[in-house]
Every structure is written in C-alpha cells, then in structure tokens.
C-alpha cells in the first residue's frame, strides 16, 4: 500500500439526588467511576459493572431516558411507566446484571424514509433496555472519550456538526482544494461484531460488561411478530450505538493521523482534504482498502468521490470556490426543506393561514438553527420569497370564486377595477401567487404579522448577536 503521509502533511449526564428516581432504584451506594474501574497504576479493573449499576449512574441514566422520551419497544412499555416498574423489579434486574445473566429483549424494527430516497431502519429497544444502555454508555464514554481523535466530531460531548463544517472550511482556506468524500454503505447495518468487541475489550476487562454489550448487538429484531437474529450491525435507535460506532471508527481516525492527513469525521461521514486530484485518487484507493480489509466495512463507490469541495456537501453544507471559501446551505438541503414544507402545506389545506404558519414555525426555526453558520445569504432570501408565494397560492385557492378573490383584494387595498381584472384573469393559482396584485395585497409584512419566520432576517439577527 502506498503511504499518503506526504500529501497529508503538504449533556454530560445529570446526577439526580432525589425524587421518584431515587425511590425507584433503591438505596444502593454510588461507586465513583474513577475508583471503581481503575487500580493505583491506572489499569482497568474487572468490576466495571458495579459502576454501571451504581445509584448515581442509574439515576442519571433514568433522567436522560425520560427526558428523551421515545417510542415503546416490543413489550409496549412507555418511558413514563419505568418508575413503577423499577420499584418492583430493580433488585432482580440489578442482580442479573451483576451476575452477567441479563438478557436484553429484541428491538422493534421501524423504517423511516431517507431524505435522498430509500428507508433507514431503526431498532427501538424497550424502555428498560434503553435505560441499561444509557447507563452503560455513561460509564464506557468516560473510559473511551478522552482517547478519541480531535478530528472526530459526531456523538461526542461539546462537539458538533458545526465545528466539523468550520474545520473543513479552514482546510480549504489553507489550500487543500480537493476533498476525498468517503461514503460508507449501510454502516450501522454492516458493523462486524467480532471486530467491534475486540476494540471494546482493549479498554474494558469486565467480562460481564463485554458479554452485555455483545448481547445488545445480537439481541435480534422483531418485525411482524417474528424475531430475526442479528449477526452484524449496531441497530440505530439505542443510546449505545453512537458510542460503539466511534469506538470502531477510531481505528480509521488513527490511520489517517498516522499518514498525516487533514480530515473531518462525523459518525460515518468522513472527508479528507488534499492538494491535488491525483493525490486524492491515491488516498481514496488506499483508504478504501483499509476500511474493507481491516474494518470489514464497505465503501459505496457510487456516492464516494474525489472532487472540489464546492461540488460536494458535508453535513448538509457546501461552500463557495473563493480563496477564502464561504459556507452555504447545500442545494439538496434546501430541496429537502421545500419538500417538507410542501408536505405540511398539503396536510394543512382547509385550515386558517395563521394555524398553517404556526405549524411551519418549528420546522423553519430548527432548520435555521442548524444552518446558522451559512455565509451565503441569497439562498435564504430565495427560500423566503418561495415560501411567501406558496402561502399566497394557498390564499388564492382558499378564495375559490372570482367574487371572493376580488372582494379580498379590495379589502387589502387594491382599487375595484384592478381587483376585478386580477380576480378574473383566468390564470392558475401559482401564477397569481407570483403576480403583482397578490404581492401588493399580501406583502412580506402581512405574513410577518401572522408570525411567519423570515429565514434571512433571522439569520442576520443570529449572526449579529453571536
């Protein structure tokens, strides 16, 4: 294999001290992680499970699971029913965990559509298994997190997609004008259990914990009343899967660092930044070989590419081609937002415009919060204009008849002759929604008074106050 080193060079869980959670879990003593899992020389001990079931850890896990809510698993138990269940059953559950005998339930299969087509398969654990996974996650994260790469940004405390995007922008500004965009095919469905467990065992010596993690990996999936075994993959939907994915892909991070590459990884999205197309092709070939041989993962060659960063997207963002590139929302991200807005408007036909706008507001604010780093504002302005036109189209359809359209246009300040001429022009709703009579009668201010969020105005406000 050819080395690319030369090219690469060129909520923290809350602890709860009382309340119903304390009563649920009983009077166990807390076992601090730093003393329960390490001896004087810093080596891992074999009593890690004691830290998992310790009072403070379990109470924090229960609080987190309850705040996350989520759907019920195969047993139908809701998160709200956990307290009552634990008051009766926690002693037996704790004993089974300490004895290494606990058996997780299968996950419930749920399919959700992907933005780019197809479906994403989620595995929803039972409420009890979510609690135990969260408790495991908190203890294992304290062990693995300090050793993860600084180039890894996904599913980590005090790290975000925004930081990864800003770092990618900085690499391009340094002169690394090509990106090796690696797409892992069905990563969460393809993780090799033996490889993953070998990496967990590097820092975890408690066989009960290792056995429990493997049992969660192999718990099986229930669909249509039938349980299918799982021989590979980490089902998305449980608290433990994101951490396990980082543990496995840390080997990729270390290999890229060893070669001296500049890269950003967020979960299974990995972008490597290089100087030339030729070096990018060489990196793509060698890293694909590393992933497939060493980690038994499959690279999607149709979606992976060596290209200019402004021709690709990373975590929903793209950037301009300037020497000092500016971040922008990728075209596909705007298309997805428009698709969601259209679907919501279809569902809202027949209701008042103010109610429709109120239902759109959480979607718009959530999208804006994610893309608040964007420096190209034309995309936001065009979207605002498009959305107002969609809402004017709704109004035109709602008025239905010529008389009603003319009356409402006059109500909004148009003279009688122009209102009647516009109302009877014979054009369709979308044409009229973009015409001057509807823009004059229902300007931006009208929609603002009803509470419509202007992405452009809000972006400016956020960036001024940042």
């Amino acid at each position: 294999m050819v080395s690319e080193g030369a090219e690469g060079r060129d909520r923290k869980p809350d602890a709860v001290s009382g309340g119903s959670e304390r009563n649920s879990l009983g009077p166990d003593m807390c076992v601090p992680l730093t003393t329960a899992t390490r001896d004087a020389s810093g080596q891992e001990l074999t009593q890690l499970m004691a830290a998992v079931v310790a009072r403070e850890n379990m109470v924090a896990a229960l609080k987190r699971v309850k705040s996350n809510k989520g759907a019920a698993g195969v047993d139908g138990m809701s998160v709200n029913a956990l307290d009552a269940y634990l008051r009766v059953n926690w002693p037996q559950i704790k004993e089974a965990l300490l004895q290494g005998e606990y058996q997780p339930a299968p996950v419930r299969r749920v399919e959700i559509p992907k933005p780019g087509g197809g479906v994403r398969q989620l595995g929803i654990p039972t409420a009890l298994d979510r609690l135990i996974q969260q408790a495991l996650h908190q203890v294992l994260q304290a062990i693995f997190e300090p050793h993860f790469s600084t180039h890894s940004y996904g599913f980590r405390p005090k790290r975000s997609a925004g930081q990864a995007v800003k770092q990618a922008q900085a690499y391009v500004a340094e002169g690394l004008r090509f990106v090796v965009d690696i797409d892992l095919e069905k990563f969460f469905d393809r993780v090799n259990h033996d490889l993953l467990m070998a990496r967990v065992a590097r820092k975890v010596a408690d066989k009960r914990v290792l056995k429990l993690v493997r049992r969660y990996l192999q718990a099986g999936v229930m669909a249509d009343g039938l349980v299918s075994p799982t021989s590979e993959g980490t089902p998305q939907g449980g608290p433990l899967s994101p951490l396990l994915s980082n543990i496995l892909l840390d080997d990729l991070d270390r290999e890229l660092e060893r070669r001296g590459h500049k890269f950003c990884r967020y979960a299974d999205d990995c972008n490597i930044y290089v100087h030339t197309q030729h070096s990018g092709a060489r990196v793509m070939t060698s890293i694909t070989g590393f992933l497939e041989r060493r980690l038994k993962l499959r690279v999607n060659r149709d979606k992976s590419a060596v290209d200019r960063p402004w021709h690709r997207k990373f975590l929903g963002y793209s950037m301009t081609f300037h020497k000092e590139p500016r971040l922008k929302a990728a075209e596909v991200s705007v298309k997805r937002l428009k698709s969601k807005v259209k679907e919501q408007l279809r569902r809202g036909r027949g209701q008042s415009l103010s109610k429709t706008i109120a239902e759109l507001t959480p979607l718009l604010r959530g999208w804006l919060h994610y893309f608040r780093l964007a420096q190209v504002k034309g995309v936001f302005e065009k979207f605002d204009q498009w959305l107002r036109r969609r809402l004017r189209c709704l109004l035109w359809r709602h008025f239905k008849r010529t008389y009603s359209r003319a009356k409402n246009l006059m109500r909004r300040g148009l003279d009688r002759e122009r209102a009647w001429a516009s109302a009877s022009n014979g054009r369709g709703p979308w044409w009229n929604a973009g015409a001057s009579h509807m823009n004059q009668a229902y300007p931006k201010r009208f929609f603002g008074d009803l509470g419509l969020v202007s992405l452009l105005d809000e972006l400016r406000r956020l960036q001024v106050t940042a």
Side-chain angles (χ1 to χ4, degrees):
M1 182 180 298
V2 180
S3 171
E4 284 73 38
E7 176 59 43
R9 284 191 296 272
D10 290 297
R11 139 184 167 203
K12 183 178 179 180
D14 300 314
V16 182
S17 57
S20 60
E21 292 95 338
R22 177 179 293 276
N23 294 333
S24 304
L25 295 168
D28 305 318
M29 296 297 291
C30 171
V31 182
L33 180 63
T34 52
T35 58
T37 62
R38 297 177 183 273
D39 62 15
S41 64
Q43 296 297 312
E44 307 296 339
L45 295 179
T46 59
Q47 299 303 312
L48 196 60
M49 188 61 80
V52 174
V53 300
R55 154 176 291 286
E56 185 179 4
N57 188 57
M58 292 302 303
V59 168
L62 182 59
K63 184 177 180 181
R64 175 61 65 90
V65 168
K66 289 170 71 175
S67 67
N68 289 342
K69 300 179 181 178
V74 295
D75 61 356
M77 185 196 298
S78 70
V79 170
N80 293 330
L82 263 179
D83 279 321
Y85 182 82
L86 290 171
R87 286 191 188 99
V88 176
N89 296 288
W90 174 243
Q92 298 95 313
I93 296 168
K94 178 186 172 186
E95 183 62 23
L97 289 167
L98 288 172
Q99 295 298 322
E101 297 171 354
Y102 180 81
Q103 294 286 346
V107 298
R108 180 168 64 88
R109 171 68 76 218
V110 174
E111 293 183 348
I112 59 172
K114 287 184 178 181
V119 294
R120 175 176 287 112
Q121 294 186 336
L122 299 183
I124 307 301
T126 65
L128 175 61
D129 282 326
R130 286 211 293 280
L131 171 66
I132 297 170
Q133 282 195 38
Q134 180 62 38
L136 263 175
H137 176 277
Q138 289 163 184
V139 170
L140 293 178
Q141 184 180 58
I143 294 171
F144 285 93
E145 170 63 28
H147 305 285
F148 283 149
S149 168
T150 57
H151 299 87
S152 167
Y153 294 89
F155 309 125
R156 297 183 61 190
K158 298 183 181 179
R159 298 200 140 230
S160 67
Q163 292 172 332
V165 168
K166 293 290 284 184
Q167 182 60 71
Q169 180 189 25
Y171 287 148
V172 178
E174 289 174 15
L176 301 168
R177 309 285 282 181
F178 285 87
V179 61
V180 182
D181 186 353
I182 296 176
D183 183 274
L184 294 175
E185 187 175 309
K186 297 182 178 179
F187 168 74
F188 285 93
D189 298 330
R190 294 267 168 82
V191 169
N192 182 285
H193 290 173
D194 291 335
L195 284 174
L196 174 57
M197 290 309 304
R199 279 144 185 81
V200 176
R202 289 172 181 172
K203 295 184 181 296
V204 174
D206 192 326
K207 292 183 179 180
R208 296 166 300 177
V209 171
L210 294 174
K211 187 185 296 184
L212 182 59
V213 172
R214 186 178 280 274
R215 282 176 177 167
Y216 273 120
L217 293 173
Q218 298 178 339
V221 175
M222 179 175 285
D224 300 324
L226 298 175
V227 177
S228 303
T230 47
S231 58
E232 61 179 4
T234 58
Q236 291 176 270
L240 202 53
S241 291
L243 176 62
L244 295 178
S245 70
N246 274 335
I247 291 172
L248 181 65
L249 290 175
D250 189 59
D251 275 23
L252 171 62
D253 298 339
R254 298 307 174 189
E255 179 66 15
L256 292 172
E257 288 174 346
R258 186 185 68 78
R259 300 182 185 194
H261 288 308
K262 303 290 184 70
F263 69 98
C264 299
R265 183 179 66 78
Y266 190 98
D268 57 332
D269 287 335
C270 185
N271 277 8
I272 308 165
Y273 295 86
V274 296
H275 286 286
T276 68
Q277 177 98 32
H278 178 73
S279 59
R282 191 174 67 246
V283 171
M284 175 68 82
T285 300
S286 60
I287 293 302
T288 296
F290 173 84
L291 287 166
E292 294 184 344
R293 285 194 301 271
R294 292 279 296 277
L295 299 184
K296 307 300 182 187
L297 298 172
R298 187 178 302 172
V299 173
N300 188 328
R301 287 166 172 79
D302 293 332
K303 294 184 178 180
S304 301
V306 178
D307 206 340
R308 297 291 193 177
W310 44 91
H311 294 156
R312 307 293 293 180
K313 68 176 179 67
F314 180 49
L315 302 178
Y317 280 86
S318 188
M319 62 183 76
T320 66
F321 60 86
H322 301 93
K323 186 175 181 181
E324 294 290 335
R326 292 182 295 158
L327 293 175
K328 64 179 183 180
E331 287 184 17
V332 68
S333 301
V334 178
K335 287 181 181 177
R336 288 171 185 170
L337 176 62
K338 285 185 175 181
S339 178
K340 290 179 181 178
V341 168
K342 287 178 183 177
E343 178 61 30
Q344 209 148 331
L345 292 179
R346 277 194 291 270
R347 290 201 303 265
R349 283 179 182 173
Q351 65 186 18
S352 69
L353 190 63
S354 58
K355 185 175 180 182
T356 297
I357 289 173
E359 291 176 351
L360 283 173
T361 297
L363 171 64
L364 297 176
R365 289 199 179 279
W367 194 88
L368 177 65
H369 178 75
Y370 183 81
F371 287 100
R372 66 190 182 279
L373 298 176
Q375 297 161 300
V376 177
K377 298 180 174 62
V379 171
F380 293 79
E381 184 176 16
K382 287 180 181 178
F383 177 84
D384 284 343
Q385 293 169 353
W386 174 85
L387 179 55
R388 288 193 292 269
R389 185 171 180 179
R390 296 292 306 191
L391 294 175
R392 292 187 189 106
C393 187
L394 274 185
L395 286 171
W396 192 261
R397 291 179 185 277
H398 181 70
F399 298 152
K400 293 183 180 178
R401 296 180 177 83
T402 300
Y403 172 78
S404 177
R405 289 166 178 168
K407 183 176 70 172
N408 278 283
L409 289 173
M410 285 188 282
R411 230 181 243 163
R412 293 294 305 168
L414 271 65
D415 63 73
R416 181 182 181 84
E417 182 179 354
R418 187 180 177 203
W420 274 102
S422 299
S424 56
N425 61 31
R427 301 275 192 166
W430 183 245
W431 185 93
N432 278 283
S436 60
H437 53 271
M438 283 296 282
N439 276 271
Q440 182 179 333
Y442 298 95
K444 176 182 176 181
R445 183 180 62 257
F446 169 81
F447 296 105
D449 290 343
L450 289 176
L452 181 67
V453 175
S454 166
L455 295 188
L456 179 62
D457 293 346
E458 284 295 301
L459 180 66
R460 286 171 173 163
R461 184 186 64 78
L462 285 173
Q463 293 182 342
V464 167
T465 57

